[in-house]
Amino acid sequence: MKAVVMAGGEGTRLRPMTSSMPKPLLPVANMPIMEHVLRLLKRHGLSDTVVTVQFLASLVKNYFGDGEELGMHLTYAHEETPLGTAGSVKNAEDALKDDSFLVISGDALTDFDLTELIDFHRSKNALVTVCLTRVPNPLEFGITITDEEGRVERFLEKPTWGQVFSDTVNTGIYVMEPEVFDYVAAGESVDWSSDVFPQLLKEGKRVYGYVAEGYWEDVGTHESYGKAQADVLEGKVDVELEGFEISPGVWVAEGAEVDPEAVLRGPLYIGDYAKVEAGVEIREHTVLGSNVVVKRGAFLHRAVVHDNVYVGPQSNLRGCVVGKNTDVMRAARIEDGAVIGDECLVGEESIIAANVRVYPFKTIEAGAVVNTSVIWESRGQEHLFGVRGVSGILNVEITPELAVRLAGAYATTLKKGATVTIARDHSRGARALKRAMISALQTSAIDVRDLENVPMPVARQHTARGSAGGIFLRTTPGVPDSLDILFFDERGADLSQAGQRKLDRVYARQEYRRAFPGEIGDLTFPSSVFDSYAGNLLRTVDTSGIREAGLKVVVDTAHGSAGLVLPSILGRLGVEALTVSSGLDEARPTEDAETRRAGLARLGELVASSRAAFGVRFDPVGERVAFVDELGRVIDDDRALLVLLDLVAAERRSGQVALPVTTTRIAEQVAAYHGTQVIWTTTTPDDLAKAASAEGTVFGGDGRGGFVVPEFSGVLDGAAAFVRLVGLVARTQLTLSQIDARIPQAHIRRRDIATPWAAKGMVMRSVVEAAGSRRLDTTDGVRVVEADGRWTLVLPDPAEAVTHLWAEGPDDEATEALLDEWAAVVEGAGR
């Protein structure tokens, strides 16, 4: 006997899950409903099966193919237009006309004994046998009345409660003889229950009903979909679960990684190659699909998560469904009954309220509270670039596919035959994506210089020596599972805002240039990169007096790439240097705040015990540097900026220094005391680089450990700052603690306030209005200056739904009062 599986329905009540996926492919316990059906057919010897398809038919065909993987033989009957339950089977008549056949829905979950159903049909010599079952609520189904022998007396489709005369309903499973096709018109929409069966009863044909025992659930609504998942996990339905039951009710599929410190309270299912980190709590009736990643601190309860979903740290999912390839970012919350479609982005700290439907390819912005369904809005970030270039979670937001498209777009902004310098940090992720980007650049007619693993300042300087631009890939500082892709201009500085917008446009339009075979770019690996960099640095920066001073310094390279170039510098500098943490460690491409604090504390102990002049600690890519004075005390980054500024200004006695507007105004006092002037810039790195490169600029810094040595380059460079500091200390014969002691204390504080994107413009307008007659500085954001010199800066974040506030007053109490005042303005406008 053959079987017919009806798999052509659109599943409109299950949208948005079925907006981009046919209903039969919806997973139940990480297996498509239709696969459960096919496995049931095979168990009962029905391995030769015809599948009727219509809506998104190609997806069904591509998934199941000819059925060989299931040990079955599948053929397909395609409907050009919907033909109804009977019309779709009539469409497959040529394959069914020789023998009895069984009809079953591809989107209903059941474990009925089909062998008994077939035996009953044959024993009654029936033309049609309808498989029946008893349900508590028959309103959504067709009611069937039979006599004592099982012969059908009456059908009623989807009755009201006033019409309910039985709890025995039609399951849509039938055994039929080919003669039934005489009652179905070809090419027309015909239904079994409403059209064919009434006619058969009218003519007195042998139509029987068989009441089956077992489980049956018509997965037609979001509620029944969730119920089917729970019933499978509870063992109420006899289906196959792929995986291992590692504890009662806890099923884990092949290749899944579950941290021993994760809390699992079954019944639940974790799909193949999923990853669950420590600190995660997964509770009953939760199903994770294949390749799902659940980060530390997430909580899931009765959540159904489809394949390839990223669940961010501290997120909370309760009683919801999340479609495949969706990213749920940090601290997002999805409430009971909510359904998120395929390939969506749910931003950080956003809240999806109960029963909300988010359709496929949508973006929920960070911090948003969504109370109504999101149907028409399109997905897409407003800008690619953030404060650290193009950033995101590796293999979630920053994928090889994105890297290739991004490199192709960047190449398209340059002339054919131009040269791009590319480099990376020592992480595996950066190495893998760099290779992808090189291929895209070459196939876009760009020559590539691959520096491999070098400090970022080295990559910047090499870019400035004849390249049209550069790319640097690094692990996001403090976030080991994220990656930054930074683009440089021909000077080695960060790509300007105009350059970023141009790249944005090309990327958005996907108008990538492609090279002909003879135009494919070259790939070269420059030699002596470190020696060249060190030689230029030592020739350019004033190192007089260093050898005579006999200084001892302690250098910590934090297991990063700065350790690759420092040997070429220290040997020629004439100082006694103790170098620590110099080996590269792929497992630690970045460090969190606690690791950094611990490293600085150890550095302080080494400086004090060795009686060194000072200590320095580089970040993993050699761009920034932190200082420890001769007493072993850590100098905070904002304070280190003032110390180095004081040294430079005291030696130069003229010129200008470039600082971002977020810097304490004590810097103006220090500069003015030594006859120099402060040029205030925006907080963007390219603006600081431009100001630092201007004629007459003697110093630049960003207050976060980044320093510019203009005579060498116009970009942040940790090694250059170190060499300059050594020279200044040697010539002044002053210790860092002495210099620090003569600089007034600053009282500057920062606060971040979540602000929806749509409210940012209103926030800034409210700030201007609230400022009244007070002086405003609009270099970057809005800085409100009080009559007594106190000030507050309000600056919207360019990449996140956040507004940043800085304030400075005469003491900590006054500064906090300023922050409170303007935070109230921002929060009030952002509501």
Side-chain angles (χ1 to χ4, degrees):
M1 179 181 290
K2 289 186 177 181
V4 181
V5 175
M6 294 185 292
E10 294 190 28
T12 54
R13 292 179 298 168
L14 281 167
R15 290 178 181 167
M17 287 189 288
T18 54
S19 297
S20 54
M21 180 190 297
K23 183 179 173 184
L25 290 187
L26 284 179
V28 172
N30 203 35
M31 183 183 293
I33 304 173
M34 183 172 149
E35 185 168 343
H36 287 298
V37 172
L38 292 175
R39 288 173 182 261
L40 176 68
L41 292 174
K42 185 188 176 187
R43 287 206 301 269
H44 291 278
L46 298 165
S47 57
D48 194 354
T49 299
V50 181
V51 182
T52 67
V53 291
Q54 194 263 322
F55 177 68
L56 298 177
S58 62
L59 298 182
V60 177
K61 292 179 180 179
N62 290 341
Y63 185 90
F64 292 106
D66 61 5
E68 181 180 1
E69 290 187 12
L70 294 173
M72 303 181 70
H73 178 253
L74 302 183
T75 56
Y76 298 88
H78 191 278
E79 306 169 40
E80 296 300 327
T81 58
L83 296 175
T85 56
S88 64
V89 179
K90 174 75 172 181
N91 194 46
E93 180 178 4
D94 289 344
L96 304 169
K97 60 186 178 182
D98 297 330
D99 197 2
S100 307
F101 57 91
L102 181 142
V103 178
I104 190 169
S105 172
D107 50 29
L109 187 65
T110 183
D111 59 5
F112 287 161
D113 190 332
L114 302 181
T115 300
E116 287 191 4
L117 170 64
I118 293 169
D119 291 344
F120 176 89
H121 172 81
R122 286 172 172 163
S123 69
K124 297 298 183 180
N125 194 28
L127 175 63
V128 174
T129 297
V130 181
C131 185
L132 309 174
T133 193
R134 294 185 173 92
V135 297
N137 184 356
L139 294 185
E140 293 298 317
F141 310 103
I143 292 177
T144 305
I145 292 292
T146 61
D147 62 17
E148 294 179 357
E149 294 186 0
R151 192 156 183 168
V152 174
E153 295 180 337
R154 184 180 177 191
F155 289 101
L156 181 61
E157 280 296 298
K158 296 185 178 179
T160 64
W161 276 117
Q163 297 172 312
V164 170
F165 47 78
S166 172
D167 64 351
T168 307
V169 301
N170 179 0
T171 65
I173 303 173
Y174 314 115
V175 182
M176 299 179 166
E177 300 300 320
E179 290 80 9
V180 76
F181 287 127
D182 296 338
Y183 294 86
V184 183
E188 297 181 12
S189 180
V190 183
D191 283 315
W192 293 120
S193 297
S194 59
D195 300 318
V196 178
F197 293 164
Q199 183 62 31
L200 295 179
L201 293 182
K202 185 177 180 180
E203 296 184 13
K205 300 297 182 180
R206 297 178 65 80
V207 179
Y208 280 78
Y210 170 79
V211 181
E213 299 293 332
Y215 182 91
W216 177 80
E217 181 70 46
D218 176 33
V219 186
T221 64
H222 294 105
E223 292 75 18
S224 62
Y225 181 66
K227 181 178 183 298
Q229 307 279 355
D231 290 343
V232 168
L233 296 175
E234 295 279 2
K236 295 180 180 179
V237 50
D238 182 16
V239 297
E240 299 176 32
L241 284 178
E242 295 190 336
F244 309 94
E245 192 172 13
I246 61 174
S247 63
V250 177
W251 289 83
V252 177
E254 178 184 0
E257 297 180 32
V258 181
D259 193 282
E261 295 185 14
V263 177
L264 306 180
R265 299 183 180 179
L268 57 86
Y269 183 90
I270 297 174
D272 52 306
Y273 299 100
K275 183 176 181 180
V276 178
E277 293 190 349
V280 169
E281 183 175 351
I282 302 180
R283 302 188 64 177
E284 60 270 17
H285 301 162
T286 293
V287 176
L288 303 185
S290 302
N291 304 307
V292 169
V293 176
V294 185
K295 302 296 287 183
R296 181 181 295 269
F299 176 88
L300 296 88
H301 184 204
R302 295 187 299 108
V304 179
V305 181
H306 292 180
D307 294 349
N308 303 309
V309 169
Y310 172 85
V311 180
Q314 288 82 53
S315 53
N316 192 303
L317 280 61
R318 297 174 183 266
C320 59
V321 178
V322 180
K324 67 179 186 294
N325 300 320
T326 287
D327 299 333
V328 181
M329 307 310 288
R330 180 188 62 81
R333 185 180 185 94
I334 306 178
E335 299 287 1
D336 189 65
V339 180
I340 313 299
D342 296 344
E343 300 192 42
C344 290
L345 173 64
V346 180
E348 292 188 355
E349 299 183 1
S350 58
I351 298 175
I352 311 294
N355 301 312
V356 164
R357 306 290 185 251
V358 178
Y359 275 63
F361 312 108
K362 303 296 182 292
T363 293
I364 304 302
E365 70 178 34
V369 178
V370 181
N371 295 307
T372 58
S373 294
V374 181
I375 300 175
W376 301 112
E377 294 83 353
S378 62
R379 176 175 182 171
Q381 294 173 273
E382 186 176 357
H383 300 292
L384 275 171
F385 288 85
V387 294
R388 299 180 304 270
V390 180
S391 303
I393 301 167
L394 180 64
N395 275 338
V396 175
E397 297 167 296
I398 304 294
T399 62
E401 296 84 357
L402 179 138
V404 167
R405 294 196 299 269
L406 200 55
Y410 182 54
T412 304
T413 67
L414 305 174
K415 294 181 179 179
K416 281 188 177 183
T419 298
V420 166
T421 296
I422 191 167
R424 61 172 176 86
D425 70 4
H426 57 285
S427 67
R428 292 183 179 181
R431 178 170 57 196
L433 265 65
K434 177 178 69 69
R435 291 168 177 169
M437 298 189 82
I438 287 173
S439 297
L441 291 168
Q442 288 182 274
T443 53
S444 299
I446 296 295
D447 294 333
V448 180
R449 295 177 184 166
D450 184 6
L451 303 185
E452 300 184 287
N453 175 24
V454 299
M456 190 187 298
V458 175
R460 290 184 185 276
Q461 191 209 56
H462 204 90
T463 298
R465 298 173 64 187
S467 295
I471 301 173
F472 192 88
L473 297 92
R474 70 170 182 190
T475 304
T476 303
V479 189
D481 58 356
S482 292
L483 197 75
D484 299 341
I485 303 176
L486 294 91
F487 291 88
F488 305 152
D489 62 16
E490 70 281 358
R491 300 171 296 126
D494 284 28
L495 202 61
S496 67
Q497 297 291 312
Q500 291 180 15
R501 286 193 294 270
K502 184 177 181 181
L503 178 51
D504 254 332
R505 289 194 298 270
V506 175
Y507 180 87
R509 294 196 301 262
Q510 299 188 33
E511 296 176 351
Y512 311 132
R513 181 179 66 219
R514 291 291 176 259
F516 295 108
E519 298 175 323
I520 301 297
D522 290 333
L523 175 61
T524 57
F525 299 89
S527 60
S528 304
V529 172
F530 298 128
D531 287 341
S532 174
Y533 169 85
N536 289 335
L537 175 59
L538 296 176
R539 282 192 300 271
T540 306
V541 178
D542 185 1
T543 59
S544 62
I546 294 179
R547 288 189 181 276
E548 294 76 11
L551 294 177
K552 179 192 291 186
V553 296
V554 183
V555 180
D556 184 345
T557 60
H559 297 288
S561 55
L564 299 174
V565 72
L566 282 175
S568 300
I569 297 172
L570 293 173
R572 295 185 246 176
L573 196 57
V575 295
E576 181 184 348
L578 171 61
T579 304
V580 297
S581 304
S582 57
L584 294 178
D585 186 353
E586 285 189 351
R588 292 186 292 179
T590 186
E591 56 185 11
D592 57 23
E594 183 58 37
T595 303
R596 182 175 184 269
R597 281 194 295 269
L600 285 169
R602 287 195 302 270
L603 177 63
E605 293 170 0
L606 288 171
V607 170
S609 63
S610 64
R611 297 184 180 180
F614 62 85
V616 295
R617 190 171 197 271
F618 292 90
D619 74 353
V621 294
E623 183 181 42
R624 300 177 186 276
V625 64
F627 302 137
V628 170
D629 68 18
E630 77 286 355
L631 302 176
R633 297 181 302 192
V634 178
I635 304 175
D636 292 337
D637 288 341
D638 53 355
R639 196 71 184 167
L641 175 64
L642 297 177
V643 168
L644 201 50
L645 168 61
D646 184 77
L647 280 167
V648 172
E651 183 172 82
R652 292 298 182 93
R653 296 288 175 177
S654 64
Q656 59 194 28
V657 296
L659 303 173
V661 291
T662 52
T663 307
T664 171
R665 265 44 191 181
I666 297 294
E668 284 186 319
Q669 299 177 31
V670 173
Y673 181 80
H674 296 296
T676 57
Q677 179 184 1
V678 175
I679 302 299
W680 298 109
T681 76
T682 71
T683 55
T684 58
D686 64 299
D687 199 17
L688 179 63
K690 287 177 183 176
S693 301
E695 186 176 355
T697 303
V698 297
F699 176 71
D702 65 0
R704 295 182 291 115
F707 301 97
V708 182
V709 180
E711 61 265 36
F712 176 62
S713 71
V715 297
L716 302 181
D717 190 326
F722 165 65
V723 171
R724 192 171 194 186
L725 177 62
V726 172
L728 290 167
V729 171
R731 289 189 292 274
T732 61
Q733 296 293 304
L734 292 174
T735 66
L736 295 190
S737 64
Q738 289 172 333
I739 300 164
D740 189 10
R742 71 188 190 186
I743 301 173
Q745 289 296 317
H747 301 277
I748 188 167
R749 297 287 185 273
R750 172 178 168 173
R751 190 177 298 177
D752 296 338
I753 299 174
T755 308
W757 282 102
K760 284 189 174 183
M762 185 181 300
V763 164
M764 300 310 292
R765 178 165 58 84
S766 299
V767 168
V768 172
E769 291 173 352
S773 60
R774 284 171 280 196
R775 182 168 68 87
L776 299 182
D777 173 9
T778 57
T779 301
D780 199 10
V782 174
R783 190 170 70 96
V784 183
V785 183
E786 310 289 338
D788 59 2
R790 294 175 301 145
W791 59 270
T792 306
L793 173 66
V794 182
L795 179 64
D797 191 283
E800 299 178 3
V802 171
T803 299
H804 305 294
L805 275 70
W806 284 264
E808 183 173 26
D811 53 49
D812 290 343
E813 184 178 351
T815 302
E816 287 296 330
L818 269 179
L819 277 179
D820 291 340
E821 175 188 348
W822 290 100
V825 174
V826 172
E827 290 170 345
R831 291 195 182 101

